[in-house]
Amino acid sequence: RRARDATVVMATAIGENIVVIDHDDDFIRAGYANPEYGPGVLAPASVRLASDATSDAIPPTRVIVDRAVTDWDALEAIYRHIFYKQCGWIEGEEGAALITEPLFTSKADRERLTQLMFESFNVAGLYIAEQPVAALYGVGKTSGVSVDVGFSTTDIAPVVDGVVVTAAATRCALGTVTTRDATRSLLGDAGAALSDDDVDAVRDATCHVSRSRDDALDASDSKTHVLPDGNVVTVDGAARRACVESLFAPDADKGGVSEASLRSVDACTPDQRRSVLDAIFT
């Protein structure tokens, strides 16, 4: 409710010149609050140093690691590209920004972000929204459980009436990189020879998300994907399912995202738990 009210106030004063930014370790998603005002932006959350700009052999440097900013100067450069190049802001006529922040963001990082927005970009207004709350608003709810699968971590947070139940929130070391590693392993020698981007492409094109533990695929349910270089990769049915299941059952001794979500809900008070479960099942 607070995020929505803040957006309404800014929209009344500034019109439609409001850019929304959502972070993760691998990508930064951005766009105007009114999607009809301009196209969305998906920018890599990484930079290549100027001295390395001509070398594809040196991987880009990640600006955000495990949901925390590690290079503020690089993040400022990415923001500048998003605001002025991709969203069309004009220096001296900047609009407002609504930026989502992940769970467990430190006070120091929040203050640093606020300083960056006002001093470097002279924004007309700023609202920092909690990612779990914003995620639920996106589906028309103010209570429920937000399960945010990122690149290297998954954040799980119960939300009641637009407020995160911080004491019950948790983070587990599972993310899309987990499914990448599982896919590479399942492909065997073929996977070992592929780049990260190619493994991600194979996973995205062939993976199968099971609706239940009984929803199994056999070898006859194989699927192929053609890589940009023309090579064809075939993934059998069991592997198509297993790469995604790595998020839910990474090994026998370590629970997955589903178990972590259950523990998070159980950590709520009885009244909070009732509100969360009512929101999930209605």
Side-chain angles (χ1 to χ4, degrees), residues 46-61 63 71 73-74 77:
S46 58
V47 295
R48 194 183 297 276
L49 299 179
S51 59
D52 301 332
T54 59
S55 176
D56 292 332
I58 301 176
T61 301
V63 175
D71 189 331
D73 290 338

Side-chain angles (χ1 to χ4, degrees), residues 200-218:
D200 288 347
V202 171
R203 176 201 60 201
D204 295 346
T206 64
C207 72
H208 173 78
V209 180
S210 302
R211 293 181 177 273
S212 70
R213 295 182 185 274
D214 298 327
D215 181 18
L217 297 177
D218 56 34

